[in-house]
Each structure stands twice: as structure tokens, then as C-alpha cells.
């Protein structure tokens, strides 16, 4: 069981390859939206984006991480804020995928799932969407505000946000991000 407790996920491509791919996309003027489910992945991707943005600064780049299912450390969150890197969350995952998350995440990781409040408190632009899940935005609004999973349990209540913040993330801020 030790492997389950220390497993950090897997990379589809070695992290060292990302710099070259992302740098080229950035040079072409693309806005980068990068899937990052785990805390370690968010640290690595943020560090790569920091390197690229320092080498070739660009105003209003609107780069963002997608998912951030487990919030990264404060140092990375502060770096994201300072670099203007946003996060596209899917709060409906807290509701609909909670049975999976309770198997895959433990303790503090489970409470930090979909860390809306933490991201906003760090001054990071947060947008909401549904990914490809068959849940309408009402599920996401419900989950963002209540932190309640489909099983009826509340997960990480300290990550709850106001209804106004959730509506803004789904509308005005999501339109800005895209």
C-alpha cells in the first residue's frame, strides 16, 4: 500500500520536453492552456512558463492551467499570480467525480481538490467550465458554493466560494480567458 500513498501520477511526455514545445507555441503567439491535474505537475508547468515568460515577456498572454485538481504549494500559487497565469477549473468534478477522487486522493489532497477559494485568495484569475462532463453549470455552481459531492458529503468546505464569485467564473472571467 505504500506505492498508493506515494504515487504522484504519470507524465504523458517527459517534463523536459515541455519547455521546447511550449516555447515554440509561445513564439508563434499562441495562448497556452495546459492540463495539470496534480500539485507536482502544476509546479513543473508553472516553472516552465516562468522561464519562457522571463525570456520573452508578453503582456496579456492569458496562459492558464486546466484542472489543477490538487492545489500546488503557496510558492507556486504566488508565482502563478505574479506571472498572470490563470486556472480553468471544473467545479462539477467535485460533485460528479467525487467517488473517484475519494479513491485517488487522501487527506489534505482530497480537501484541496478544486481549490477555488485558495486560488482566488492568492489573486489568481479563476474560470469555470464543465470539461466534457455531461453536467450543466448548475452542478458546478452547486459544487463550488457547497463543496458537496454526489454522495452528500462536503469536501474541503474552506474551498467554497460565493455564488456571485462562481457565476463570474462561469461567465465574465471564462469569456475573458477564451
Amino acid at each position: 500500500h505504500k506505492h498508493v500513498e506515494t504515487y504522484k501520477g504519470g507524465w504523458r511526455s517527459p517534463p523536459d520536453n515541455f519547455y521546447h514545445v511550449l516555447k515554440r507555441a509561445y513564439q508563434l503567439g499562441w495562448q497556452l492552456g495546459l492540463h495539470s491535474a496534480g500539485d507536482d505537475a502544476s509546479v513543473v508547468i508553472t516553472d516552465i512558463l516562468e522561464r519562457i515568460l522571463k525570456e520573452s515577456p508578453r503582456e496579456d498572454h492569458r496562459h492558464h492551467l486546466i484542472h489543477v485538481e490538487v492545489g500546488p504549494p503557496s510558492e507556486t500559487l504566488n508565482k502563478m499570480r505574479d506571472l498572470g497565469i490563470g486556472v480553468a477549473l471544473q467545479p462539477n468534478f467535485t460533485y460528479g467525480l467525487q467517488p473517484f477522487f475519494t479513491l485517488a486522493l487522501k487527506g489534505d489532497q482530497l480537501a484541496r481538490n478544486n481549490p477555488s477559494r485558495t486560488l482566488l485568495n492568492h489573486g489568481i484569475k479563476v474560470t469555470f467550465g464543465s470539461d466534457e462532463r455531461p453536467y450543466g453549470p448548475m452542478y458546478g455552481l452547486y459544487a463550488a458554493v457547497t463543496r458537496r459531492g454526489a454522495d452528500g458529503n462536503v469536501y474541503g468546505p474552506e474551498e467554497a466560494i460565493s455564488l456571485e464569485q462562481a457565476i463570474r467564473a462561469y461567465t465574465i472571467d471564462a469569456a475573458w480567458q477564451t
Side-chain angles (χ1 to χ4, degrees), residues 55-116:
E55 290 170 354
S56 308
R58 182 166 76 213
E59 291 294 317
D60 199 26
H61 55 75
R62 302 188 193 194
H63 300 321
H64 56 283
L65 303 185
I66 301 167
H67 300 317
V68 186
E69 291 304 336
V70 179
S74 284
E75 178 184 345
T76 297
L77 294 171
N78 291 335
K79 192 179 292 188
M80 290 170 68
R81 176 200 58 227
D82 295 345
L83 294 168
I85 297 170
V87 175
L89 288 179
Q90 294 70 39
N92 53 298
F93 286 8
T94 299
Y95 179 82
L97 294 182
Q98 203 56 58
F100 166 75
F101 289 140
T102 55
L103 294 173
L105 305 174
K106 300 296 177 207
D108 186 47
Q109 285 185 324
L110 186 57
R112 291 185 298 134
N113 171 258
N114 267 321
S116 302

Side-chain angles (χ1 to χ4, degrees), residues 1-13 37-41 70 100-101 103-106 109-110 112:
H1 296 293
K2 183 133 179 101
H3 173 72
V4 171
E5 294 171 10
T6 59
Y7 180 67
K8 296 287 187 175
W11 291 92
R12 292 190 178 176
S13 179
D39 44 0
D40 285 354
V70 179
F100 166 75
F101 289 140
L103 294 173
L105 305 174
K106 300 296 177 207
Q109 285 185 324
L110 186 57
R112 291 185 298 134

